[in-house]
Amino acid sequence: MNPEQREAVKYIDGPLLVLAGAGSGKTRVITRKIAYLVQECGIKAAHIAALTFTNKAAREMKSRVTEQLSGTNTRGLIVSTFHNLGLTILRREYQAADLKQGFSIFDSTDVQTVIRELQRAETGSNVDDAEVISHRISRWKNDFITPQQALYGAETDQDAFFAGFYIKYQRQLHAYNAVDFDDLIMKPVLLFQQHLEVLLRWRRKIHYLLVDEYQDTNASQYEMLKLLIGTEARLTAVGDDDQSIYAWRGARPENIEQLNKDYPILRVVKLEQNYRSTGRILKAANQLIRINPHAFEKRLWSELGYGDPIRVIECTSGEGEAERVVMELQSHKFQKSTQFKDYAILYRGNFQSRLFERYLRELGIPYVISGALSFFERSEVKDIMAYLRLLSNPDDDTAFLRIVNTPRREIGSATLEKLGKYASDRSISLLAACTEFGIRELFSDRILSKLDTFANWIAATTEASERGNPVQVARSMMEEIGYELWLFEQCKDDKKAERRMKNVNEVLDWLQRIKDKEKGETLGEMVAHMCLMDILERNNEDQDLDAVSLMTYHAAKGLEFPNVFMVGVEEELLPHSSSIMEDNIEEERRLAYVGITRAQRQLTITYAKKRNRYGESVECEPSRFLDELPEDDLEWTGGGRELDEETSKKRARDHLDMMKNMFE
């Protein structure tokens, strides 16, 4: 470790903020500090918690800690995401949190389903603004604003409408014995505020708290941290305000400054030595980001040499840009004998990937896209997860609605609408309503028989899962309903049906792995674990393929590549048009900073003079951020700033050599 890293590891006399620049070894500091706390300070691992934002980061951190504490008792050590900790708290304190055991976790699709049902019941409106309403509610929760506070603070009729919906939505979640993703933070905070004995119990559990990516915390997460650390403030927060790029989902980079206000004795340690990039890349990043205001100044430096110039290429069009980037990438690979996975193409929006995919496919270059359809978003996976959710929580109406007619049981939408109204009037779940005597006035004997049969089958299957092996019961359940046959009937292509059934079996295999690993967990606990994984991960992060990476700047945060192409660096793309309108250029500048600091050795920036938008060709302007980079370190191609003749001839020779190698 360098001197600053050592200081950060060994300081335990009060709250500590580690300002860790890109590539400065922040994970090393956190993992070494956990080992130091256990081995040198005598704090038991079971009394230490380290929090981050993704399962991948948590797994990597835990793996490194386990290596360093080899032979030491690490039982009870918490290394997890904020939301995983929130889930653990709610599972242990569910009664104080006014929940029933086996509560469900609703993802964004479930949330919007609940909101649509409320809209139809309350207003009779067919206008689908569920996404807008869910986003507003999510922002309130991230900002730690309760429904009553939202209503009290409403300044317009629209604010009051959304706040009223927030109140009804929370009541509905409570009726379903469910929480949404944001509740996994907000509910534990409310729990701590309202039940001192619960808070003290968790303070006794967590003697020292470490937080990674602190700049990404929202107001609710900050409240959770403050409550857990109390006045003793046994905290190490590691973050970088220059990489705060998630304001749109509630992140508050000002939490860095707030920490300094709330804890005047805060020690600040800066990690400025970068172990990733060349000096020229860091110089460009430093010059760009210094334009933003800062609570604490820092400047990255490196011992890896000055490096190659940053290339800036003007392209005639969006298509020309994609073709040029792919040809440059292929040429560089042949010249340097690199691998495809050494390259990343970064862009502002996922829609930009299409042209690059086309040219990569045409040249047979393998690639992977971050943000593609995730495993959990596939309909067959959602189906089986809904069955498992209903078995573990009979109050889960969104799960009921998804699977009551999958495969078809001839229970139509008119029946479900009547059943829903009856259940709402009685304040019971849809499943419970299926067997109530009162519905006999609403339906024919044929419909009553179908509802009764379905409800009794769910009850019997639930009982079987509680008495026996829940995984085996789940497998038998899928056979009983004839799901595989139904898939083949739904798919025109048998291979597609086979692939979909393979996904179903993967869910069942995963359930078995959880059961084997977490012996004694109930079906509800296993399903809650799976639902949280669904929400947090959404796609397979662990594949290590030799393929070019295509991703947004947001998705690239935390990653690094030897060679990076930043494409579409134009006004209205980077910075984005919405940010220009909202005067939020600072976050867009941080996004460009993140893009630049992903590059280890070679950075190439491209922009187009024209681009097709909404079916017509429009003129494009180079991004203002290009003018904020150090001119002496840029090597321009096009844009009136051509290469000198000697460099241009060298490029031509390199291209010819590459073509010869291809033919050979």
Side-chain angles (χ1 to χ4, degrees):
M1 292 188 293
N2 62 38
E4 292 76 22
Q5 289 172 331
R6 276 196 296 276
E7 181 185 359
V9 166
K10 294 187 176 183
Y11 182 76
I12 60 167
D13 295 333
L16 172 68
L17 172 64
V18 182
L19 280 176
S24 62
K26 65 182 178 61
T27 305
R28 181 188 308 170
V29 166
I30 293 174
T31 55
R32 290 283 181 92
K33 184 149 196 172
I34 294 172
Y36 179 76
L37 291 169
V38 174
Q39 295 172 331
E40 304 296 329
C41 303
I43 300 177
K44 290 182 179 178
H47 293 312
I48 298 171
L51 302 179
T52 187
F53 283 85
T54 68
N55 280 324
K56 184 177 181 181
R59 283 196 301 270
E60 181 184 347
M61 203 183 294
K62 192 156 193 174
S63 173
R64 289 202 203 179
V65 171
T66 303
E67 283 178 18
Q68 291 178 42
L69 291 175
S70 178
T72 307
N73 184 4
T74 59
R75 184 188 295 272
L77 173 67
I78 297 173
V79 181
S80 76
T81 63
F82 274 90
H83 292 87
N84 252 320
L85 177 61
L87 175 60
T88 300
I89 293 168
L90 291 180
R91 276 167 57 170
R92 293 186 187 174
E93 314 287 353
Y94 66 90
Q95 289 177 312
D98 198 20
L99 292 165
K100 290 182 278 189
Q101 197 168 15
F103 59 84
S104 295
I105 304 172
F106 282 7
D107 67 7
S108 58
T109 304
D110 298 326
V111 167
Q112 289 180 34
T113 299
V114 172
I115 290 172
R116 288 190 187 100
E117 291 299 318
L118 282 172
Q119 274 186 295
R120 280 194 284 271
E122 297 286 334
T123 66
S125 170
N126 290 320
V127 177
D128 188 1
D129 50 7
E131 189 172 350
V132 175
I133 295 172
S134 67
H135 179 71
R136 177 67 72 93
I137 291 172
S138 178
R139 285 304 296 264
W140 270 323
K141 291 186 178 185
N142 287 332
D143 291 339
F144 196 63
I145 296 172
T146 65
Q148 290 72 27
Q149 289 169 335
L151 190 61
Y152 181 76
E155 296 180 353
T156 66
D157 289 344
Q158 188 182 51
D159 288 343
F161 168 76
F162 284 133
F165 228 101
Y166 184 11
I167 292 171
K168 294 166 192 168
Y169 167 74
Q170 286 304 111
R171 284 184 192 145
Q172 199 69 19
L173 281 190
H174 186 261
Y176 290 162
N177 189 34
V179 296
D180 62 25
F181 190 59
D182 301 313
D183 282 331
L184 295 177
I185 306 298
M186 190 169 189
K187 274 190 172 293
V189 176
L190 291 170
L191 182 68
F192 290 157
Q193 289 181 342
Q194 296 162 7
H195 298 272
L196 180 60
E197 73 283 3
V198 174
L199 174 59
L200 293 177
R201 183 157 56 241
W202 282 90
R203 281 185 182 170
R204 287 193 295 270
K205 162 70 179 165
I206 299 174
H207 293 184
Y208 201 95
L209 189 62
L210 303 99
V211 181
D212 188 20
E213 303 288 7
Y214 174 74
Q215 78 282 348
D216 291 337
T217 55
N218 58 39
S220 287
Q221 287 159 338
Y222 185 61
E223 286 300 317
M224 177 187 274
L225 296 177
K226 279 176 63 180
L227 286 164
L228 282 172
I229 64 177
T231 55
E232 294 184 22
R234 293 167 296 200
L235 169 74
T236 293
V238 182
D240 181 5
D241 51 346
D242 291 333
Q243 294 188 75
S244 182
I245 56 175
Y246 294 112
W248 51 275
R249 68 183 189 198
R252 296 172 57 168
E254 58 267 31
N255 280 351
I256 287 179
E257 198 168 349
Q258 190 62 44
L259 195 66
N260 197 30
K261 291 177 182 175
D262 290 341
Y263 300 96
I265 61 168
L266 180 74
R267 170 80 70 91
V268 178
V269 174
K270 299 178 186 179
L271 303 186
E272 297 173 296
Q273 182 175 358
N274 175 284
Y275 294 93
R276 173 190 298 160
S277 306
T278 62
R280 199 187 300 260
I281 289 170
L282 296 181
K283 179 184 173 185
N286 285 330
Q287 182 160 315
L288 175 74
I289 205 64
R290 75 180 182 190
I291 297 170
N292 279 3
H294 292 83
F296 302 98
E297 293 293 337
K298 67 178 185 307
R299 190 172 184 82
L300 296 178
W301 59 277
S302 170
E303 293 181 341
L304 299 177
Y306 199 52
D308 297 331
I310 296 168
R311 300 184 60 204
V312 182
I313 302 175
E314 179 186 87
C315 304
T316 54
S317 64
E319 291 230 357
E321 178 187 47
E323 183 179 21
R324 178 68 181 263
V325 166
V326 173
M327 290 303 295
E328 290 280 347
L329 187 155
Q330 189 178 52
S331 172
H332 189 273
K333 181 182 184 300
F334 273 106
Q335 291 171 39
K336 305 295 184 183
S337 299
T338 55
Q339 295 179 286
F340 286 120
K341 66 182 179 181
D342 294 334
Y343 298 87
I345 299 174
L346 308 182
Y347 37 75
R348 182 63 176 84
N350 278 312
F351 69 92
Q352 292 173 258
S353 72
R354 185 180 58 81
L355 289 172
F356 295 95
E357 289 183 72
R358 193 178 91 196
Y359 283 100
L360 288 166
R361 281 197 303 268
E362 284 179 5
L363 290 175
I365 296 175
Y367 65 90
V368 290
I369 304 179
S370 291
L373 184 67
S374 80
F375 178 71
F376 288 99
E377 289 170 321
R378 301 179 189 280
S379 62
E380 64 275 11
V381 175
K382 282 188 168 291
D383 288 344
I384 185 170
M385 289 298 295
Y387 270 103
L388 294 173
R389 281 166 46 188
L390 193 59
L391 290 181
S392 59
N393 179 9
D395 294 330
D396 191 336
D397 280 359
T398 55
F400 176 96
L401 290 169
R402 182 170 188 95
I403 56 99
V404 68
N405 227 12
T406 306
R408 281 194 62 77
R409 295 182 177 90
E410 297 180 1
I411 300 172
S413 57
T415 298
L416 292 173
E417 191 173 338
K418 287 182 186 177
L419 187 70
K421 186 175 186 314
Y422 176 86
S424 179
D425 291 343
R426 294 269 295 129
S427 297
I428 59 175
S429 71
L430 291 169
L431 186 62
C434 288
T435 55
E436 284 227 335
F437 188 79
I439 67 168
R440 299 189 180 283
E441 299 176 6
L442 301 176
F443 303 115
S444 67
D445 289 345
R446 188 177 69 86
I447 296 298
L448 287 170
S449 174
K450 292 184 182 302
L451 292 173
D452 192 57
T453 299
F454 177 71
N456 288 333
W457 176 75
I458 289 289
T461 308
T462 300
E463 186 182 349
S465 71
E466 290 170 352
R467 284 189 289 102
N469 183 335
V471 181
Q472 189 54 52
V473 170
R475 291 188 190 279
S476 300
M477 174 184 70
M478 299 311 287
E479 291 176 14
E480 284 178 43
I481 64 176
Y483 191 80
E484 185 170 7
L485 178 62
W486 181 77
L487 276 182
F488 276 90
E489 290 171 354
Q490 297 296 305
C491 299
K492 295 178 182 177
D493 181 1
D494 284 358
K495 287 188 175 179
K496 183 178 180 181
E498 288 169 4
R499 285 196 301 272
R500 293 180 66 183
M501 193 60 205
K502 187 177 179 183
N503 290 333
V504 171
N505 288 325
E506 173 56 30
V507 174
L508 294 169
D509 291 343
W510 184 25
L511 193 66
Q512 182 66 56
R513 290 194 293 273
I514 295 173
K515 182 178 181 299
D516 293 341
K517 184 180 178 183
E518 307 291 342
K519 299 185 188 302
E521 280 205 345
T522 64
L523 179 63
E525 289 169 335
M526 290 191 284
V527 171
H529 174 84
M530 296 170 82
C531 288
L532 185 59
M533 291 288 285
D534 165 15
I535 296 168
L536 288 174
E537 298 212 339
R538 296 295 185 189
N539 58 5
N540 184 357
E541 298 171 316
D542 295 324
Q543 289 183 328
D544 185 23
L545 305 173
D546 184 24
V548 176
S549 293
L550 275 67
M551 63 184 72
T552 63
Y553 297 109
H554 286 98
K557 185 170 171 290
L559 303 177
E560 57 188 53
F561 303 90
N563 310 285
V564 168
F565 290 87
M566 291 175 61
V567 301
V569 184
E570 303 150 20
E571 290 291 299
E572 300 194 6
L573 274 179
L574 186 71
H576 195 272
S577 55
S578 61
S579 296
I580 296 172
M581 290 173 61
E582 295 165 6
D583 195 24
N584 189 21
I585 300 300
E586 288 174 14
E587 176 144 336
E588 293 292 302
R589 187 174 286 111
R590 292 195 291 267
L591 209 52
Y593 174 86
V594 166
I596 292 170
T597 53
R598 297 314 93 195
Q600 294 171 304
R601 293 194 290 273
Q602 178 71 59
L603 175 63
T604 303
I605 300 172
T606 66
Y607 65 91
K609 290 170 67 178
K610 291 185 178 181
R611 197 174 287 278
N612 283 327
R613 288 182 189 161
Y614 311 111
E616 60 180 58
S617 179
V618 296
E619 299 282 340
C620 302
E621 254 186 84
S623 170
R624 69 190 72 186
F625 299 147
L626 291 174
D627 292 329
E628 296 171 2
L629 299 178
E631 182 65 35
D632 292 346
D633 295 287
L634 305 183
E635 183 182 276
W636 290 78
T637 301
R641 289 173 271 196
E642 298 292 340
L643 294 175
D644 60 77
E645 187 177 350
E646 186 176 337
T647 304
S648 185
K649 285 180 179 178
K650 181 180 183 303
R651 285 274 165 81
R653 287 196 300 272
D654 290 342
H655 184 70
L656 283 173
D657 290 341
M658 184 271 291
M659 296 298 291
K660 288 176 184 175
N661 286 333
M662 283 179 67
F663 285 116
E664 288 170 3

